Amino acid sequence: MTTNKNTSNETKFRGLRRFNLIMGFLHLLQGVFMWIVSNDTVYPIFTNYLSFDTSTFSLNPVAKLFYELPLGPSVAIFLLLSAIAHFYLASAGYENYINNLKQGKNPVRFYEYALSSSLMIVLIGMLAGVWDLGAIILMFGLNAMMNLLGLLMESLNQDRKKLDWSPFTFGSIAGIIPWLVIFIYFFGSIASGGEAKPPAFVYAIIPTLFVFFNTFAVNMWLQYKKIGPWKDYLYGERAFIVLSLVAKTVLAWMIFAGTLAPV
């Protein structure tokens, strides 16, 4: 019986190797396409400094252009980061990947998410009007911390009968804050009236990606609650891989269709 189970697991592991390889190519092809074909749209990043107004004897904020972020390469990068991670897991990192999966964890997943999904949240924020350097750094950092707390959740709960949910809880709190900022800017732009509203495609991106981002947390919750097919950690691993591809693909092509497609 044990031999059959081990054989079944080995088959699943080999399947995951092929799966990661396929996903790597899907991310790579999209990333290269976005980098090469996208137009030269840029989004501004500003810093705000205090300036003393001698006429009113008061301090006033002054915005200064810090950098113009090329949107096409930025979209390509979060796709290419995933491609690199998948290729690594399917090649040089495969043995370590399998050893970690047997322990119910995948650190590479969370390191990659800490970079790729944090870039994604920054781009979504910029589409909603979050153009301040400080806000962008904080959004990136909080989202990265959310993913690192996901890694901590897996590391702390190895073979524990009573789970420690604190990393999951704190990670959820950290992860929701960038979305609160996005919604404040998004609804603020709408409420202000006039022509300073987000482009039409942003109305679709924000709710869609909000759902996708939260689905990752649901997948982890189901893994640790061992509900239905999630009793098998490898089922949740495949779900993470599929969710990552779908979320990145949806965001990339929505942005491409909305603003990056060549005229």
Side-chain angles (χ1 to χ4, degrees):
M1 191 74 174
T2 303
T3 303
N4 291 337
K5 185 177 180 181
N6 290 337
T7 303
S8 175
N9 284 337
E10 289 304 319
T11 302
K12 289 180 180 179
F13 291 143
R14 288 195 296 271
L16 272 173
R17 187 175 202 171
R18 291 192 297 270
F19 197 46
N20 274 281
L21 192 61
I22 292 168
M23 291 297 173
F25 278 111
L26 290 176
H27 283 94
L28 176 64
L29 291 173
Q30 292 185 91
V32 171
F33 178 88
M34 292 292 165
W35 198 301
I36 295 175
V37 178
S38 295
N39 60 37
D40 57 356
T41 298
V42 297
Y43 269 61
I45 299 176
F46 294 96
T47 53
N48 288 281
Y49 299 102
L50 289 177
S51 177
F52 184 71
D53 189 335
T54 56
S55 61
T56 60
F57 293 96
S58 61
L59 291 171
N60 298 308
V62 176
K64 182 179 180 181
L65 181 64
F66 174 78
Y67 182 66
E68 291 186 328
L69 184 71
L71 199 55
S74 299
V75 171
I77 286 172
F78 69 68
L79 289 163
L80 295 175
L81 285 169
S82 287
I84 291 169
H86 285 303
F87 286 140
Y88 171 75
L89 292 175
S91 57
Y94 177 70
E95 294 299 328
N96 195 43
Y97 178 44
I98 297 307
N99 290 333
N100 282 325
L101 289 178
K102 290 178 180 178
Q103 300 174 55
K105 62 180 182 178
N106 179 10
V108 173
R109 178 206 308 141
F110 290 104
Y111 292 136
E112 185 254 303
Y113 288 176
L115 296 174
S116 63
S117 72
S118 298
L119 176 56
M120 290 169 71
I121 201 75
V122 165
L123 294 179
I124 296 168
M126 294 188 74
L127 291 171
V130 185
W131 295 351
D132 178 73
L133 177 62
I136 288 171
I137 292 173
L138 291 172
M139 289 174 63
F140 188 100
L142 282 167
N143 192 81
M145 187 58 62
M146 173 191 69
N147 285 287
L148 295 178
L149 284 166
L151 172 58
L152 183 61
M153 176 73 180
E154 289 195 334
S155 300
L156 280 179
N157 289 297
Q158 298 299 304
D159 302 319
R160 290 185 61 158
K161 292 183 179 179
K162 185 178 181 180
L163 298 177
D164 182 353
W165 285 93
S166 57
F168 184 89
T169 302
F170 297 146
S172 298
I173 294 171
I176 202 66
I177 294 174
W179 283 104
L180 290 176
V181 173
I182 289 171
F183 281 119
I184 288 171
Y185 274 77
F186 179 66
F187 289 117
S189 297
I190 295 173
S192 65
E195 297 181 359
K197 294 181 180 180
F201 71 96
V202 178
Y203 286 73
I205 284 178
I206 291 178
T208 303
L209 270 297
F210 177 74
V211 170
F212 273 120
F213 268 64
N214 284 282
T215 306
F216 284 84
V218 172
N219 187 57
M220 174 173 264
W221 182 84
L222 290 169
Q223 271 188 317
Y224 280 94
K225 286 293 183 179
K226 298 185 182 301
I227 296 174
W230 281 269
K231 291 178 182 177
D232 182 358
Y233 181 83
L234 298 184
Y235 183 88
E237 171 67 8
R238 280 183 173 268
F240 273 123
I241 294 172
V242 171
L243 283 171
S244 177
L245 174 68
V246 174
K248 290 180 174 69
T249 298
V250 168
L251 179 59
W253 287 99
M254 279 187 169
I255 294 177
F256 183 82
T259 189
L260 291 178
V263 178

